[in-house]
Each structure stands twice: as C-alpha cells, then as structure tokens.
Amino acid sequence: MDRREPIPRPADGASTPTPVPALPNRRAANGEGRSRLRGWLASPVALLPLGLVALVAAVLLWESRLANLGPSFWGLNYFFDPSGGAPSVFGVSLFLVDSAIVAGPALALASGLSLAIAISTVVYLPPAPSRLLTLLTNLLAGIPSVVYGIWGYVVLAPYFGTTAQPTLRGFLGWLPGFGGPLSAGGVGSLLAIFILTIMVIPITAAVMRESLRNVPNDLVEAGLALGATPWEVVRRVRLRAARRGLWGAVFLGLGRAIGESVAVAMVIGASIQIPPNLYTPSTTLASFIFYQLDSAFFYPNLLTALTEFALVLLAVALVVNLLGQRASGADATVIVTGGGRG
Amino acid sequence: MIRDRGAGPTALAADGAELAAVSPRLRHRLRLDGIVRWALLGAFAAVFFPLFDMIYWVSVRAVPKFTLATFTEYQVGNAGGLAAMIEGTFVLIGLATAFATSIGLIAGIYTAEYAPPAVARIGRLAGNVLAGIPAIVIGYFGYFLFALYTGWGYTTLGGALTLSVLMVPFVYRTADLAFSSVPASQREAALALGARRHQYLRRLAWPIALPTVLTGVFLAMAIGLGETAPLVYTAGWSNTPWTGLFSPTSFLTGAIWLFYEQPPTLGALLTLAFQAAFLLIVIVVALNLGLQWLADRYRRRLRGLGA
C-alpha cells in the first residue's frame, strides 16, 4: 500500500491535535461524546458486509437442514438414482479430492509463475514496461471465466487431445498420474489445470507484487551496499522479508482456484470419479454444484445434498480466505483492484 | 521505492572484462544475476501467450461473422442475433451496479468516517471475506432467497440483486480506502475552520475520493459483467425482448454457457457464443483502460494536494 504516514508535528503546545493514524478512524477532537454515540449508531451500516456474509451462510444452513449428516456424507462415495429405486449416497469427500487434484497443481504452477512475474516487475523491469505488464495482468483478471471456458473447450481441447497429452505422457509417463489412458476429446483434469492456472495468476501475482514492494528500502539498500547482486538481494532479503505476504498470496489464489465453477465445468468433462491420471475427465466441488443444480429441482434430497455441498465449499473458502488475509496483511480486495493507484 | 537494478556490482559491470580479471567468483555471481533476469521474463511469455492466443481465436471466430443483425435480432433456433443478451446484460449490470454502489458507498463512508475502530476492522475483514465467497455459493443463496422465498421464480430483479451481493465488497472496500486516505492535513484544515462532519465529507472529502470510488464501481461492473454462475439460477433465460423486472432475462455470459457445446450443425449458435465472448472482452478492456485512466488522474490530483 502506498498509504502515507502523516508527518509528525513538533510538539508546540497542548492544543496540537494528535496526529491522525493512517488507518484507524478519525474523530474530531471536539464533540467526542456525540461523535462516539454517532459511531455506535453507524456500526450497523459499517457492518452491512458482515450482514451479507451472515445472510448467505444462514440461508444455506437453513436449506441444508434436512441433509442427513451421517458418516456417508464425509465418505468417498457418490450415488444418485433419480428413480429413487436404490438409496442415494451423497459423499462430499469425492469432490473435495477432485477439487484438490485440479486446484493443487494449478496453484503450484500459478504461484511459481506469479513469483517470477512479481520479482520482474518490482526489481528488474524499468517503470514503464513494468506498468504495462501490470495492466496486462489486471486484464487477465478481468476476462470473464466463461470466455476462458469456451476458448478451452473449442480451441485448446482438440490440441490437448492430439498433442499436449501424448507429449506429456511421452516425457513424464513413468511418473504416477502421468501415465495411462488419454482423454480422447482433450477435455479432462489437465485442461482444467491449465485454464485454472491462467485464471489464478492475476490474483497471486498482484498480492505477491505488493508484498515484495513493501519490503523496507533500508533492508534492500543494506544488501546492495554490502555488494550483493540484485538477484542475491531478492533471494536473501526481499523473499525472506516478504515471506508472509507471499504465503498469503498463495492462499488467496487457492480460494479462487477451488471456487471457480463455470470455466472448470466447461473443460473438465464432468465425470464423477477420482481420476486415475491427469488426463481423465473428472469434476470439482464448485463445478459439480454448478452444473448439477438444474437437475436437482425435482429431487428435494438431491437439492438438499447440493446445498450441503455448497455449505462445505463456503466453509473451505472462508477458512482459506481468512488465512490468506491474515498472512498477506489483509486488504487483498484493494490490492487486486489496484486500489486507485494502478 | 528503490529499484535494485543498476546499483551494486551491476553498476560496475560495464567494465565486465576488468572485473572478471579481478575475481572469477564475482564474474560468476554477475552472470547468475543476468541469467535470472532473463529467465524471470520467460514467465511473462508463459502467461501472455495464452492471453493473446485466446483473444486471437475469439476474434477469428467472432469478427468476420458480425453483421447488423447480430446486434438487432433476437435469437430463434439456429438463427438471429444477440439483441436479447445485450439488452439483458445492460439491464442486469445497470441495476446491480446501482444496488452495489448505494450499499457499498454508504457502508464504506461509514466505515471510514464514523464507525469505531473495532467495528471498522470487522467491517473491512467481512468485506474481504465476502469478496472471497465463490460465485456459485452466492448463486445458491440468490436462488433460494430471490427465486424461491419471494415466489418470483427467475427474474431480472432477482438476478441483479444476486449479482450486487457479489459486487458490493469491491465498491465498499475502495470507498472505504478512498475516504480513509484523504490527507489528514485537508481534514484538519476543514475542521479547524469549523466545518461540520457532513460539510467536510461533501465539500472536501468527496471530490478527493471520487476517482477512487469510481475505480471501485468500474471494477465491480467488470466483475459483474463476467459472472455466469450467480445468474443462471436467478435471472433464468429468455431469448425474447426484455419485458420487465419480474420476467426472466438472458445475458452475454449465459449465451456462451448455453451455446458452447453446440454441434457443428448448429454452428450459428457457436458463432453467437464467440461473438458474445468478443463483446465481453471488448467491454472488459474498455473498463480496464478507464480504471487505469482514473488511477493516473487520482495520483496526479493527490500530488497536487501535497499529500
């Protein structure tokens, strides 16, 4: 953040107003009592966002009240029979595992690339190209996820089927998860990982850039003065000083990766299974509850189960998001938005 | 901020030959620095090649088939244009922006100016949390609240309200930031001259904060424009002219979601999907450039205030 501290004034009398701290709320020195009253009256308004979060959680909790939270809910089995002949089993863990299989590699790739981008923009590139590339990264964040989806499904999938998958298997087939049957049309986990990587990068890159930029100049200058090369300063000073923020970026990226529904639904092949390898069609928690909802309107038990899944997704997203905010020093929304400072 | 580049031994590297003679170890370290510098740039290629590839293919599929009918006709079967989706998108985004801006702006100003610090902290945290809730979860919420509980079914209003829940945190957090970062000197000057709080807010803080608030609104619009998941089960779908707030509506992202799997025999629909994608990209690029312009303006303005 480029928020400036107020310049401390010389103490020239008791009437000097106390310097206003940068972030906490300001109160006029006069009318403190009235101001405090007004402050508490204002609280409900300031807490509107909290109210919205609570409302979302409350509605989902209420709608999933009928779900049978038996041990089978946390199990790896999912079976739904529309005719109601056989008893249905709604296990959420299957989808959590699938989500992890897709989000994990995507996040790892995105974090590495984002770190490289952040280091380049903060340390190596001159200001003008650095700003241009930041603008382009923000543009990446603004592209609607369905657009990634249709590009992935129509343009990339055939290429993945004929070229990318066989090539990857040729080189890495001996590794577990990289061998085995390919997905004929190209849709599957690998394509979802690829698309998701591109979608996560803008967020992780933005937060990483801010954390690297916020490393105190004293530390950087000290390193340079000791004769370290720029890369040595990055490795031994910047990366260490910004470590928390970098982890925060990874968690915020994870939040995006597990929450993405539409683009993943379009390219992953929608197959309810734990994929035997990276190429096979599979599903994720978020994409499953997205494309399955319209089949659920006529089956109350399916609708309740899906709502319960949505609740699990909400819980996971909240935990990941709070961890990310804590580590990155909050204000991720503002960082990603550019906060009016580009 | 200090850029690391051009300082330290690198500054001397112009005399590389001499230095190398001094110390092979230094030569090695400088070479490593150079390698890293170019290797890191490779990451940009890895990221921007897909971006340009996507824009290229969407353009190739969409642009040659654009006609006037694309914008004026309604889609019927395997023919027609995007008129209904364009209409619907404008109405949805317009309404949702209005809702999100009114809620987000008021909450942001109260958080920055009136709320006690503890409350403000919770508000900000909740704002960031709300921004992190997956869109499809908001979609479920909107379906239950605005389609079922109200008894409306799929409506434009329900879709816009659901969308605004997703957009609020971006307006809220930027409004809060905008009013919190008005220079302390300005505020003290106003209060010292006897201004009341609302006078200070309206006459002094508001003009300074406006560009940042607008960036938040623009960003919220870009976010709302790109969402599909919250709308599919709240706004529904309709390829006829828009008839009112309580009727379902279609939208550009929905066209892509509905038509992307169409077989070649229904090629016109796939083309419509790509054209919708192209329009979305154009609008997003325009919004991004607008954001950038506002940000520059704001920076210059703050500098003028001697902040």
Side-chain angles (χ1 to χ4, degrees), chain B residues 91-164:
Chain B
V91 174
L92 282 171
I93 297 296
L95 282 175
T97 307
F99 297 146
T101 306
S102 30
I103 298 177
L105 189 57
I106 292 173
I109 292 177
Y110 270 73
T111 303
E113 286 294 330
Y114 293 104
V119 174
R121 205 164 46 235
I122 297 173
R124 291 180 178 124
L125 187 71
N128 289 339
V129 164
L130 188 57
I133 295 181
I136 180 59
V137 174
I138 306 275
Y140 269 64
F141 161 77
Y143 169 70
F144 287 125
L145 192 58
F146 300 122
L148 290 190
Y149 296 175
T150 55
W152 296 346
Y154 294 156
T155 58
T156 310
L157 186 61
L161 285 168
T162 311
L163 205 53
S164 68

Side-chain angles (χ1 to χ4, degrees), chain B residues 26-46:
Chain B
L26 180 57
R27 185 177 55 178
H28 171 75
R29 287 168 55 207
L30 285 174
R31 190 185 295 152
L32 181 66
D33 186 63
I35 293 172
V36 167
R37 172 177 311 202
W38 289 106
L40 290 180
L41 279 183
F44 282 105

Side-chain angles (χ1 to χ4, degrees), chain A residues 3 9 25-26 42 63 121 124-125 131 221 227 231-232 238 289-290 297 318 325 331 333 337 341, chain B residues 2-5 29 33 110-112 115 120 128-129 140 149 173 177 180 188 219 233 292 296 299:
Chain A
R3 197 173 290 125
R9 282 146 224 278
N25 277 284
R26 297 103 170 260
E63 283 302 325
T121 28
Y124 284 111
L125 288 170
R131 281 194 55 200
E221 285 167 19
W231 168 241
E232 285 161 351
R238 275 199 200 265
I289 63 174
F290 170 59
F297 295 148
L318 284 187
Q325 280 195 49
D331 276 356
T333 321
T337 62
R341 23 152 289 140
Chain B
I2 302 285
R3 305 193 81 78
D4 310 353
R5 179 177 62 91
R29 287 168 55 207
D33 186 63
Y110 270 73
T111 303
N128 289 339
V129 164
Y140 269 64
Y149 296 175
R173 294 295 296 119
L177 174 80
S180 301
E188 282 160 14
L219 187 97
Y233 303 110
Q292 192 62 33
D296 288 350
R299 231 193 322 264

Side-chain angles (χ1 to χ4, degrees), chain A residues 92-170:
Chain A
V92 75
S93 293
L94 170 73
F95 300 99
L96 287 174
V97 170
D98 279 349
S99 281
I101 289 175
V102 174
L107 189 66
L109 286 172
S111 303
L113 287 170
S114 301
L115 191 58
I117 286 176
I119 293 175
S120 277
T121 28
V122 173
V123 177
Y124 284 111
L125 288 170
S130 165
R131 281 194 55 200
L132 179 69
L133 290 172
T134 304
L135 188 70
L136 277 175
T137 324
N138 289 345
L139 178 63
L140 214 57
I143 303 269
S145 51
V146 265
V147 177
Y148 285 109
I150 193 173
W151 171 65
Y153 183 78
V154 177
V155 179
L156 290 184
Y159 170 78
F160 267 64
T162 56
T163 316
Q165 290 184 359
T167 313
L168 194 64
R169 185 172 64 175

